[in-house]
């Protein structure tokens, strides 16, 4: 979808998000909201480092679209294409200056068990949807970062 429609989206000023749902919306929208608030509070050049989201209870069930994707994804994409799409910042329209940062921050015990200790929040676990959420959050970062770069270069945002 991105490859096929990205130039048309850019020309029209649209932003393309290849998925949005109960699995990816909280991490994507809350990360975006937090970064926007930080920029309002501390200035437009403020960068957001790492965001940790903690959801204690989420009552949901997969939608028909999610289930259809799970059952048909290999009919549409090869394993290689799926691996490529899940590499850090693969869906981002611009490269991240340090794409291995998150990987370098992840301890071997977290990789093995999914458990991580975060200051203030304490012990938590990774989400079952983390691998599918990350590319969406990274794409949003790239879309808004490229928009920010355009504004800084004097280009009009419509």
């Amino acid at each position: 979808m991105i490859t096929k429609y990205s130039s048309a989206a850019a020309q029209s000023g649209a932003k393309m998000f290849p998925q949005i749902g109960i699995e990816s919306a909280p991490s994507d929208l809350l990360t975006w909201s937090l970064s926007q608030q930080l920029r309002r509070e501390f200035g437009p050049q403020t960068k957001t480092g790492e965001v940790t989201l903690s959801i204690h209870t989420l009552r949901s069930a997969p939608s028909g679209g999610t289930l259809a994707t799970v059952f048909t994804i290999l009919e549409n994409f090869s394993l290689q294409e799926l691996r490529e799409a899940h590499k850090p910042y693969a869906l981002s329209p611009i490269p991240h200056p340090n794409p291995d940062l998150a990987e370098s921050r992840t301890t071997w015990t977290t990789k093995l068990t999914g458990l991580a200790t975060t200051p203030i929040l304490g012990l938590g676990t990774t989400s079952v949807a983390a691998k599918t959420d990350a590319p969406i959050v990274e794409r949003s970062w790239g879309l808004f970062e490229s928009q920010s770069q355009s504004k800084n270069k004097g280009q009009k945002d419509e």
Side-chain angles (χ1 to χ4, degrees), residues 60-114:
S60 69
S63 68
T66 297
L67 291 174
T69 299
V70 168
F71 294 127
T72 64
I73 196 160
L74 292 175
E75 293 173 12
N76 297 298
F77 301 100
S78 69
L79 287 175
Q80 180 62 30
E81 288 172 315
L82 293 174
R83 272 192 294 273
E84 291 296 319
H86 282 85
K87 286 183 177 178
Y89 297 90
L91 301 181
S92 175
I94 61 172
H96 190 276
N98 191 355
D100 299 323
L101 185 61
E103 187 66 26
S104 68
R105 289 182 177 168
T106 306
T107 66
W108 68 271
T109 53
T110 299
K111 291 177 187 175
L112 181 65
T113 65

Side-chain angles (χ1 to χ4, degrees), residues 3-124:
T3 304
K4 187 173 182 178
Y5 297 108
S6 63
S7 62
Q11 289 174 355
S12 72
K15 304 279 188 242
M16 288 179 41
F17 301 90
Q19 76 172 30
I20 194 71
I22 193 66
E23 301 86 10
S24 58
S27 56
D28 193 28
L29 296 174
L30 289 171
T31 300
W32 175 78
S33 296
L34 175 63
S35 68
Q36 294 302 302
Q37 181 61 32
L38 288 171
R39 287 179 177 163
R40 276 192 296 277
E41 189 77 23
F42 300 109
Q45 299 306 318
T46 303
K47 301 291 182 189
T48 306
E50 182 177 9
V51 175
T52 301
L53 174 65
S54 177
I55 298 176
H56 296 274
T57 304
L58 181 63
R59 290 181 176 88
S60 69
S63 68
T66 297
L67 291 174
T69 299
V70 168
F71 294 127
T72 64
I73 196 160
L74 292 175
E75 293 173 12
N76 297 298
F77 301 100
S78 69
L79 287 175
Q80 180 62 30
E81 288 172 315
L82 293 174
R83 272 192 294 273
E84 291 296 319
H86 282 85
K87 286 183 177 178
Y89 297 90
L91 301 181
S92 175
I94 61 172
H96 190 276
N98 191 355
D100 299 323
L101 185 61
E103 187 66 26
S104 68
R105 289 182 177 168
T106 306
T107 66
W108 68 271
T109 53
T110 299
K111 291 177 187 175
L112 181 65
T113 65
L115 297 173
T117 301
T118 305
I120 301 173
L121 296 175
L123 184 64

